[in-house]
């Protein structure tokens, strides 16, 4: 767990300064600013993902992979319902919640 936290800190610093890095690589300023907004939101998911990834493989090595499968399956409906509410602006709601047109 500490190794993943130490691994994430330099990546967070790089993601926090994504616009500067993209501008140094020759990208358009507007595009770099929009990418930085996206990456600053996504960077906070890196540490929990790394913890889950490490624990899943640890449990797999201990021959107990069922818990990783249970958590993954339980996360599917949560992601299905939350993505339209916390996702990108203009993202479509899941198919059962769409209004019919026409």
């Amino acid at each position: 767990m500490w190794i993943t936290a130490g691994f994430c800190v330099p990546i967070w610093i790089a993601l926090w300064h994504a616009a500067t890095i993209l501008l140094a690589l020759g990208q358009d300023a507007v595009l770099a600013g929009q990418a930085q907004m996206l990456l600053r939101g996504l960077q906070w998911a890196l540490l929990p993902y790394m913890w889950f990834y490490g624990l899943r493989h640890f449990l797999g090595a201990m021959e107990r992979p069922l818990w990783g499968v249970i958590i993954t399956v339980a996360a599917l409906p949560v992601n299905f319902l939350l993505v339209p509410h916390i996702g990108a602006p203009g993202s479509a709601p899941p198919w059962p919640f769409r209004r019919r047109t026409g």
Side-chain angles (χ1 to χ4, degrees), residues 12-100:
W12 282 342
I13 293 169
L15 292 176
W16 192 260
H17 299 288
T20 307
I21 295 169
L22 290 172
L23 288 172
L25 292 173
Q27 294 295 321
D28 182 34
V30 175
L31 181 64
Q34 291 174 345
Q36 182 172 0
M37 276 187 0
L38 176 70
L39 291 173
R40 282 189 177 175
L42 289 176
Q43 78 181 23
W44 304 113
L46 181 64
L47 183 62
Y49 174 74
M50 295 295 285
W51 282 347
F52 169 72
Y53 190 76
L55 288 173
R56 185 181 71 176
H57 285 284
F58 173 74
L59 290 173
M62 299 297 289
E63 296 182 0
R64 297 189 183 273
L66 182 63
W67 287 107
V69 173
I70 289 171
I71 292 171
T72 303
V73 170
L76 289 174
V78 173
N79 287 332
F80 180 75
L81 295 174
L82 286 181
V83 165
H85 303 291
I86 62 174
S91 62
W95 63 268
F97 304 110
R98 289 187 187 144
R99 283 192 243 162
R100 292 183 176 225

